[in-house]
Amino acid sequence: MPQQFEIITLKIDGKDVGAKGGETILQVARENGIWIPTLCHLNGLSPVGACRLCLVEVKGFSRPVPSCVTKVSEGMEVTTQSERLQDYRKAIVELLLSERNHVCSVCMANDRCELQDLAQRLGVTHLRFERLSHAFSVDASHSRFVRDDNRCILCGRCVRVCAEIEGAHTWDFMNRGHETRLVSDLNQPWSECESCTGCGKCVQVCPTGALLEKAKMGTAWKKKEFLPYLALMRQEERHE
């Protein structure tokens, strides 16, 4: 028998929309062509609500909620665009740009960086916060890839794709606060990680220049779709 879904009706930005039970606000918004900014989210990977860029307002809630992990409910009224949300999103992007090294003109990911794209779309023209610079080392020990923690925004995409799709569990985070950084295995050089399969999925899903392919460094290359089969795999998993 075909799988039965609960049908839910709600409003997003005053528009009546339908949704399946269990879907998130972000999923339903995207299905209806409504833009909500994200950085940590990627279709096919588990949502974590880390970046907070996808905050939306829900009638009856005292504060904005992350749309990527908030399930829809019958009669819900959602606002995705407001002056308050715009201010929140701009502040988040400014904070990300003010920490570590995100000088676009000298970055290998210039013109192919999701953080840069969001800054432009949200109208971030300057930073209101003092820069917090680090001097993390660059791991270029791998024969094919480079890891630069100075460009990392701690979105966790690489950690999740390595664990959930590849099953290698090579990546994790170490330390706390502004000292948090990405590490491979037990903080070993990338080239010495026995768990790494060298598939490059982590590099493909990186939204900034934190993980790069050596062969493409210093050359112009077009943006590619981020692992398009991830969404299909996750969809099939939900229907099992």
Side-chain angles (χ1 to χ4, degrees):
M1 290 181 61
Q3 188 170 355
Q4 298 297 315
F5 294 100
E6 177 189 7
I7 302 300
I8 292 172
T9 57
L10 66 152
K11 288 182 180 290
I12 301 182
D13 294 335
K15 175 184 176 182
D16 292 317
V17 298
K20 298 174 184 176
E23 286 190 308
T24 65
I25 295 174
L26 180 62
Q27 286 176 305
V28 179
R30 288 184 169 178
E31 289 167 3
N32 288 274
I34 300 170
W35 180 75
I36 298 176
T38 61
L39 272 177
C40 69
H41 185 79
L42 187 65
N43 287 340
L45 300 181
S46 59
V48 294
C51 70
R52 265 8 196 201
L53 276 165
C54 71
L55 287 176
V56 296
E57 297 171 341
V58 178
K59 186 176 181 179
F61 286 47
S62 61
R63 63 186 65 183
V65 298
S67 62
C68 67
V69 293
T70 303
K71 301 291 180 65
V72 296
S73 60
E74 183 65 36
M76 178 181 277
E77 296 185 28
V78 180
T79 299
T80 68
Q81 304 295 329
S82 69
E83 186 175 346
R84 178 169 71 154
L85 292 173
Q86 180 77 355
D87 289 342
Y88 284 164
R89 292 165 180 169
K90 288 182 68 174
I92 290 170
V93 171
E94 286 180 49
L95 286 167
L96 289 172
L97 288 169
S98 66
E99 187 173 0
R100 307 196 180 192
N101 183 359
H102 297 291
V103 182
C104 298
S105 59
V106 295
C107 181
M108 301 299 296
N110 188 24
D111 289 333
R112 52 182 184 268
C113 170
E114 291 184 48
L115 178 60
Q116 183 186 56
D117 291 344
L118 270 181
Q120 293 173 347
R121 182 157 186 173
L122 294 172
V124 176
T125 58
H126 64 281
L127 303 182
R128 293 169 289 175
F129 310 104
E130 184 179 351
R131 289 188 179 273
L132 181 61
S133 299
H134 292 264
F136 291 123
S137 60
V138 177
D139 184 356
S141 63
H142 196 282
S143 60
R144 294 174 54 202
F145 309 118
V146 176
R147 186 189 84 233
D148 186 356
D149 288 313
N150 300 290
R151 316 283 192 190
C152 181
I153 59 172
L154 307 176
C155 67
R157 284 186 182 182
C158 57
V159 177
R160 284 173 284 147
V161 76
C162 187
E164 298 172 14
I165 305 302
E166 186 63 16
H169 300 271
T170 298
W171 299 106
D172 207 342
F173 292 119
M174 184 179 77
N175 298 330
R176 301 182 66 181
H178 67 276
E179 293 294 334
T180 304
R181 64 185 185 88
L182 188 68
V183 293
S184 47
D185 279 358
L186 298 177
N187 195 22
Q188 296 169 297
W190 198 347
S191 60
E192 298 178 14
C193 295
E194 295 183 1
S195 64
C196 181
T197 63
C199 66
K201 292 183 177 66
C202 55
V203 178
Q204 293 183 53
V205 300
C206 180
T208 63
L211 298 176
L212 289 168
E213 189 173 346
K214 286 183 177 180
K216 293 176 180 177
M217 294 179 67
T219 61
W221 52 281
K222 296 181 179 180
K223 294 181 181 179
K224 297 194 301 183
E225 291 295 325
F226 285 139
L227 302 177
Y229 56 85
L230 290 187
L232 177 62
M233 291 178 65
R234 186 64 64 183
Q235 183 178 4
E236 292 175 350
E237 182 179 292
R238 285 200 299 266
H239 290 300
E240 289 180 353

